[in-house]
Amino acid sequence: DQQVKQNSPSLSVQEGRISILNCDYTNSMFDYFLWYKKYPAEGPTFLISISSIKDKNEDGRFTVFLNKSAKHLSLHIVPSQPGDSAVYFCAASPPGTYKYIFGTGTRLKVLA
Amino acid sequence: NAGVTQTPKFRVLKTGQSMTLLCAQDMNHEYMYWYRQDPGMGLRLIHYSVGEGTTAKGEVPDGYNVSRLKKQNFLLGLESAAPSQTSVYFCASSSRQGHEKLFFGSGTQLSVL
Protein backbone atom coordinates (compact mmCIF):
# COMPACT_ATOMS: atom_id res chain seq x y z
CA ASP A 1 0.00 0.00 0.00
CA GLN A 2 1.38 3.36 -1.03
CA GLN A 3 2.26 5.35 2.09
CA VAL A 4 3.06 8.52 0.15
CA LYS A 5 0.65 9.42 -2.62
CA GLN A 6 0.72 11.96 -5.38
CA ASN A 7 -2.68 11.62 -6.95
CA SER A 8 -2.10 13.95 -9.89
CA PRO A 9 0.18 12.32 -12.46
CA SER A 10 0.45 15.56 -14.44
CA LEU A 11 -0.19 19.27 -14.23
CA SER A 12 -0.01 22.06 -16.81
CA VAL A 13 0.36 25.71 -15.82
CA GLN A 14 0.91 28.92 -17.71
CA GLU A 15 4.21 30.70 -17.26
CA GLY A 16 4.01 33.28 -14.49
CA ARG A 17 1.12 31.58 -12.71
CA ILE A 18 1.23 29.50 -9.55
CA SER A 19 1.90 25.75 -9.66
CA ILE A 20 0.52 23.71 -6.78
CA LEU A 21 1.66 20.13 -6.39
CA ASN A 22 0.02 17.95 -3.78
CA CYS A 23 1.11 15.01 -1.71
CA ASP A 24 -0.78 12.89 0.84
CA TYR A 25 0.63 10.44 3.33
CA THR A 26 -0.91 7.76 5.49
CA ASN A 27 1.49 7.45 8.42
CA SER A 28 1.06 10.18 11.02
CA MET A 29 4.49 9.30 12.44
CA PHE A 30 6.34 10.70 9.44
CA ASP A 31 8.30 13.65 10.75
CA TYR A 32 10.26 14.99 7.82
CA PHE A 33 9.28 15.66 4.24
CA LEU A 34 11.23 16.53 1.13
CA TRP A 35 10.49 17.57 -2.42
CA TYR A 36 12.69 16.54 -5.32
CA LYS A 37 12.72 17.67 -8.93
CA LYS A 38 13.74 15.35 -11.75
CA TYR A 39 14.60 16.19 -15.33
CA PRO A 40 14.70 13.44 -17.99
CA ALA A 41 17.88 11.35 -17.99
CA GLU A 42 19.06 12.94 -14.74
CA GLY A 43 18.92 11.96 -11.11
CA PRO A 44 16.46 13.65 -8.74
CA THR A 45 17.71 16.86 -7.15
CA PHE A 46 16.68 18.20 -3.79
CA LEU A 47 14.33 21.15 -3.83
CA ILE A 48 12.97 21.93 -0.37
CA SER A 49 12.15 20.21 2.90
CA ILE A 50 9.95 20.65 5.95
CA SER A 51 9.96 19.24 9.42
CA SER A 52 6.74 18.17 11.10
CA ILE A 53 7.21 20.86 13.74
CA LYS A 54 6.61 23.50 11.07
CA ASP A 55 3.68 24.17 8.78
CA LYS A 56 5.48 26.23 6.16
CA ASN A 57 8.93 26.57 4.66
CA GLU A 58 10.01 28.97 1.93
CA ASP A 59 12.96 29.08 -0.39
CA GLY A 60 12.75 31.69 -3.10
CA ARG A 61 9.92 30.82 -5.49
CA PHE A 62 9.25 27.54 -3.69
CA THR A 63 7.07 27.13 -0.61
CA VAL A 64 6.05 23.90 1.05
CA PHE A 65 2.99 23.75 3.28
CA LEU A 66 2.31 20.95 5.75
CA ASN A 67 -1.13 20.14 7.17
CA LYS A 68 -0.52 17.43 9.73
CA SER A 69 -4.15 16.93 10.66
CA ALA A 70 -4.98 16.21 7.02
CA LYS A 71 -1.70 14.37 6.42
CA HIS A 72 -1.18 16.54 3.39
CA LEU A 73 1.62 18.66 2.03
CA SER A 74 1.81 20.87 -1.00
CA LEU A 75 4.51 22.57 -3.00
CA HIS A 76 3.79 26.03 -4.41
CA ILE A 77 5.92 27.49 -7.17
CA VAL A 78 5.40 31.18 -7.80
CA PRO A 79 5.89 32.39 -10.45
CA SER A 80 6.19 29.27 -12.55
CA GLN A 81 8.85 29.26 -15.25
CA PRO A 82 9.35 26.98 -18.26
CA GLY A 83 12.53 25.65 -16.63
CA ASP A 84 10.37 24.28 -13.81
CA SER A 85 8.94 21.69 -16.20
CA ALA A 86 10.00 18.40 -14.63
CA VAL A 87 8.72 15.52 -12.55
CA TYR A 88 8.31 16.37 -8.87
CA PHE A 89 8.50 13.75 -6.13
CA CYS A 90 7.56 14.16 -2.52
CA ALA A 91 9.21 11.94 0.07
CA ALA A 92 8.70 11.22 3.74
CA SER A 93 11.00 9.92 6.42
CA PRO A 94 9.62 7.89 9.31
CA PRO A 95 11.26 8.79 12.63
CA GLY A 96 14.15 6.64 13.73
CA THR A 97 14.65 5.09 10.31
CA TYR A 98 17.11 5.51 7.51
CA LYS A 99 14.49 5.27 4.83
CA TYR A 100 12.85 7.79 2.56
CA ILE A 101 9.53 6.77 1.05
CA PHE A 102 8.74 8.46 -2.23
CA GLY A 103 5.49 9.25 -3.96
CA THR A 104 4.80 8.33 -7.57
CA GLY A 105 5.59 11.80 -8.91
CA THR A 106 3.74 14.60 -10.70
CA ARG A 107 4.86 15.78 -14.12
CA LEU A 108 4.68 19.57 -14.26
CA LYS A 109 4.59 21.33 -17.60
CA VAL A 110 4.92 25.10 -17.59
CA LEU A 111 3.63 26.58 -20.81
CA ALA A 112 5.37 29.65 -22.24
CA ASN B 1 33.02 17.79 -7.66
CA ALA B 2 31.68 14.35 -8.66
CA GLY B 3 29.14 13.69 -5.87
CA VAL B 4 27.45 10.35 -6.60
CA THR B 5 28.66 8.47 -9.67
CA GLN B 6 26.91 5.45 -11.15
CA THR B 7 28.35 3.04 -13.68
CA PRO B 8 27.31 1.94 -16.21
CA LYS B 9 24.76 4.44 -17.52
CA PHE B 10 23.07 1.96 -19.83
CA ARG B 11 23.02 -1.80 -20.04
CA VAL B 12 21.08 -4.45 -21.91
CA LEU B 13 20.95 -7.96 -20.47
CA LYS B 14 19.40 -11.21 -21.54
CA THR B 15 17.18 -13.06 -19.10
CA GLY B 16 19.30 -15.07 -16.70
CA GLN B 17 22.46 -13.03 -17.07
CA SER B 18 24.11 -11.39 -14.10
CA MET B 19 25.57 -7.95 -13.60
CA THR B 20 26.74 -5.49 -10.97
CA LEU B 21 25.92 -1.81 -10.80
CA LEU B 22 28.50 0.35 -9.09
CA CYS B 23 27.82 3.44 -7.05
CA ALA B 24 30.61 5.65 -5.75
CA GLN B 25 30.33 8.79 -3.62
CA ASP B 26 33.07 11.20 -2.67
CA MET B 27 31.22 13.09 0.07
CA ASN B 28 32.19 10.77 2.92
CA HIS B 29 28.53 9.92 3.48
CA GLU B 30 27.58 7.18 5.89
CA TYR B 31 24.30 6.17 4.30
CA MET B 32 23.79 4.85 0.80
CA TYR B 33 20.68 3.66 -1.01
CA TRP B 34 19.58 1.92 -4.17
CA TYR B 35 16.22 2.89 -5.68
CA ARG B 36 14.45 1.82 -8.83
CA GLN B 37 12.11 4.03 -10.80
CA ASP B 38 9.29 2.58 -12.84
CA PRO B 39 6.44 4.36 -14.63
CA GLY B 40 3.59 5.07 -12.24
CA MET B 41 5.49 3.58 -9.31
CA GLY B 42 7.75 6.40 -8.24
CA LEU B 43 11.06 5.63 -6.57
CA ARG B 44 11.12 2.41 -4.60
CA LEU B 45 13.87 1.49 -2.17
CA ILE B 46 15.66 -1.77 -3.00
CA HIS B 47 18.42 -1.97 -0.38
CA TYR B 48 20.31 0.48 1.74
CA SER B 49 23.39 0.68 3.93
CA VAL B 50 24.00 2.66 7.10
CA GLY B 51 27.74 2.20 7.06
CA GLU B 52 30.68 0.24 5.73
CA GLY B 53 30.03 -3.48 6.00
CA THR B 54 26.27 -3.11 6.64
CA THR B 55 23.30 -3.65 4.36
CA ALA B 56 19.54 -3.85 4.85
CA LYS B 57 16.46 -4.62 2.78
CA GLY B 58 14.16 -1.94 1.48
CA GLU B 59 10.69 -2.17 -0.06
CA VAL B 60 11.55 -4.33 -3.09
CA PRO B 61 14.70 -6.37 -2.33
CA ASP B 62 13.87 -9.65 -4.07
CA GLY B 63 16.21 -10.58 -6.91
CA TYR B 64 18.94 -8.16 -5.81
CA ASN B 65 21.98 -8.34 -3.57
CA VAL B 66 24.20 -5.55 -2.33
CA SER B 67 27.59 -5.06 -0.75
CA ARG B 68 29.29 -2.16 0.99
CA LEU B 69 32.90 -3.24 1.42
CA LYS B 70 34.20 0.32 1.31
CA LYS B 71 32.48 3.39 2.69
CA GLN B 72 32.51 5.17 -0.64
CA ASN B 73 31.12 2.30 -2.73
CA PHE B 74 27.76 0.54 -2.80
CA LEU B 75 27.29 -2.30 -5.28
CA LEU B 76 23.96 -3.65 -6.52
CA GLY B 77 24.00 -7.13 -8.01
CA LEU B 78 21.51 -9.00 -10.13
CA GLU B 79 22.36 -12.70 -10.04
CA SER B 80 19.82 -13.86 -12.63
CA ALA B 81 18.18 -10.96 -14.42
CA ALA B 82 14.47 -11.04 -15.22
CA PRO B 83 12.41 -8.79 -17.53
CA SER B 84 10.65 -7.43 -14.42
CA GLN B 85 13.97 -5.87 -13.45
CA THR B 86 13.93 -3.60 -16.47
CA SER B 87 14.02 -0.20 -14.82
CA VAL B 88 16.05 2.90 -14.11
CA TYR B 89 18.22 2.44 -11.06
CA PHE B 90 19.33 5.33 -8.88
CA CYS B 91 21.92 5.33 -6.18
CA ALA B 92 21.78 7.94 -3.43
CA SER B 93 23.74 8.89 -0.36
CA SER B 94 23.23 11.04 2.71
CA SER B 95 25.35 12.18 5.58
CA ARG B 96 23.15 11.15 8.50
CA GLN B 97 19.98 9.46 9.47
CA GLY B 98 16.60 10.89 8.68
CA HIS B 99 16.70 14.62 8.41
CA GLU B 100 19.31 14.95 5.75
CA LYS B 101 18.64 15.21 2.06
CA LEU B 102 19.62 12.49 -0.34
CA PHE B 103 22.10 13.14 -3.11
CA PHE B 104 21.33 11.07 -6.20
CA GLY B 105 23.42 9.76 -9.03
CA SER B 106 22.35 10.20 -12.64
CA GLY B 107 20.91 6.72 -12.95
CA THR B 108 21.45 3.45 -14.82
CA GLN B 109 18.97 2.46 -17.50
CA LEU B 110 18.75 -1.34 -17.48
CA SER B 111 16.81 -3.40 -20.00
CA VAL B 112 16.38 -7.14 -19.56
CA LEU B 113 15.23 -8.93 -22.69
Side-chain angles (χ1 to χ4, degrees), chain B residues 4-113:
Chain B
V4 179
T5 303
Q6 291 183 233
T7 53
K9 294 190 183 302
F10 303 95
R11 186 73 186 267
V12 178
L13 291 179
K14 294 181 179 179
T15 297
Q17 286 185 318
S18 63
M19 78 161 294
T20 300
L21 282 67
L22 172 64
C23 177
Q25 52 94 3
D26 61 3
M27 297 174 282
N28 201 35
H29 284 169
E30 287 294 329
Y31 307 130
M32 297 187 74
Y33 309 80
W34 277 106
Y35 285 88
R36 59 178 288 175
Q37 184 194 6
D38 303 290
M41 302 295 287
L43 292 159
R44 293 182 293 168
L45 182 63
I46 304 171
H47 286 281
Y48 62 100
S49 168
V50 301
E52 182 178 318
T54 74
T55 62
K57 294 180 180 180
E59 303 168 78
V60 288
D62 294 341
Y64 304 95
N65 56 77
V66 287
S67 64
R68 183 104 181 263
L69 299 179
K70 294 182 178 180
K71 185 177 182 179
Q72 64 268 34
N73 295 336
F74 195 29
L75 278 63
L76 178 70
L78 287 72
E79 289 187 347
S80 180
S84 61
Q85 294 176 305
T86 293
S87 187
V88 181
Y89 292 85
F90 289 101
C91 176
S93 69
S94 69
S95 60
R96 325 192 261 277
Q97 172 186 347
H99 299 180
E100 285 292 332
K101 61 186 180 184
L102 299 179
F103 291 82
F104 281 87
S106 58
T108 296
Q109 173 75 60
L110 175 66
S111 295
V112 183
L113 306 178

Side-chain angles (χ1 to χ4, degrees), chain A residues 11-13 15 19 37-40 61-62 77 80-88 106-112:
Chain A
L11 174 69
S12 291
V13 172
E15 181 179 6
S19 295
K37 178 167 72 173
K38 185 184 178 306
Y39 293 118
R61 296 186 296 114
F62 303 92
I77 306 173
S80 301
Q81 299 173 353
D84 296 328
S85 297
V87 177
Y88 289 79
T106 296
R107 183 177 303 277
L108 173 66
K109 187 172 184 179
V110 180
L111 307 170

Side-chain angles (χ1 to χ4, degrees), chain A residues 7-96:
Chain A
N7 292 317
S8 298
S10 63
L11 174 69
S12 291
V13 172
Q14 285 294 131
E15 181 179 6
R17 304 294 291 270
I18 183 171
S19 295
I20 300 176
L21 295 93
N22 295 305
C23 180
D24 297 295
Y25 58 97
T26 58
N27 189 340
S28 60
M29 298 300 291
F30 288 159
D31 65 350
Y32 198 69
F33 304 88
L34 307 97
W35 282 94
Y36 277 80
K37 178 167 72 173
K38 185 184 178 306
Y39 293 118
E42 294 183 10
T45 54
F46 172 77
L47 200 54
I48 193 169
S49 63
I50 189 167
S51 166
S52 60
I53 62 173
K54 294 185 175 181
D55 55 16
K56 178 181 174 181
N57 188 29
E58 283 183 85
D59 184 1
R61 296 186 296 114
F62 303 92
T63 303
V64 56
F65 295 91
L66 177 62
N67 183 333
K68 290 185 289 294
S69 61
K71 293 196 279 264
H72 176 84
L73 65 156
S74 61
L75 174 68
H76 292 209
I77 306 173
V78 183
S80 301
Q81 299 173 353
D84 296 328
S85 297
V87 177
Y88 289 79
F89 292 98
C90 64
S93 177

